[in-house]
Amino acid sequence: MSGPAVRVRTRKDLRSERRRRPPRCLDHLIAAPLWPMHGANLGTLLRTCDAVGACLAVPRFPWVPEALERGNTLRRPACVHWVGDPLRWLERRREAGRHVMGVELAEEAVRLADLPMARRPTIAVLGHEREGIPPEALGLLDAVVEIPMIGTGASLNVAVAGSLVLYKLAGFA
């Protein structure tokens, strides 16, 4: 008795299904690691943004452009929003009607498994990998999502956490 036949898709198959050019900024889903700690994670998160049709918002730290370049394997440019003051940027997005969601361990947080697809423009705010989202930014969040963990670690790296949340918000998971 044999199992079902598995057909691996070829590069040609994949190319025919994907966009030939990166989409213009849709401003619908934005991953915002506004207090990054490790540079390589930013390029990895940028690749996830490309995969789900999201943008990436990053602070204008001197090391961020090189970090994006190092971790990014995309052949074409992706949508990156450069942020001066993270708190002011979040305030302005909220005033413009964006749904601002933090990825953080907090009371009243939505479990990742229960997170619905984003039905309106949404920003997924990712904090510092050790410190989380700064206390002064918590008041700017409309909601919080948490990623349950049973291991001994307190958090995932920003690329992994952001990727999990983006796939749910994009409706792929």
Side-chain angles (χ1 to χ4, degrees):
M1 180 159 73
S2 65
V6 174
R7 182 183 168 271
V8 176
R9 295 191 293 171
T10 66
R11 285 184 182 269
K12 183 178 177 184
D13 293 338
L14 294 174
R15 261 195 312 272
S16 70
E17 293 175 11
R18 296 201 176 136
R19 295 179 175 151
R20 298 199 191 290
R21 289 183 293 243
R24 69 188 194 296
C25 179
L26 302 176
D27 201 28
H28 179 71
L29 189 55
I30 299 175
L34 300 175
W35 300 274
M37 181 175 164
H38 298 296
N41 292 329
L42 296 178
T44 301
L45 186 56
L46 184 60
R47 293 194 318 264
T48 299
C49 288
D50 176 73
V52 301
C55 299
L56 182 69
V58 290
R60 288 193 179 276
F61 296 163
W63 57 269
V64 169
E66 191 272 326
L68 286 173
E69 187 65 33
R70 184 174 11 124
N72 179 11
T73 59
L74 299 172
R75 293 183 183 173
R76 293 191 167 88
C79 182
V80 177
H81 297 253
W82 294 97
V83 175
D85 176 1
L87 296 176
R88 183 69 189 125
W89 184 81
L90 287 173
E91 286 172 0
R92 287 194 311 265
R93 294 302 158 302
R94 224 174 143 205
E95 290 166 1
R98 302 300 185 266
H99 182 65
V100 180
M101 173 171 284
V103 180
E104 188 67 79
L105 299 173
E107 291 181 22
E108 310 286 327
V110 175
R111 286 177 23 113
L112 180 65
D114 299 328
L115 184 64
M117 182 175 125
R119 302 267 182 225
R120 63 181 186 164
T122 300
I123 298 168
V125 179
L126 299 148
H128 186 278
E129 290 166 317
R130 194 174 303 136
E131 310 295 325
I133 297 172
E136 59 272 17
L138 294 175
L140 299 171
L141 304 177
D142 296 311
V144 179
V145 61
E146 79 174 23
I147 301 169
M149 297 173 46
I150 60 170
T152 59
S155 68
L156 299 169
N157 77 44
V158 74
V160 173
S163 295
L164 290 169
V165 171
L166 286 174
Y167 267 87
K168 284 292 285 183
L169 289 172
F172 293 142

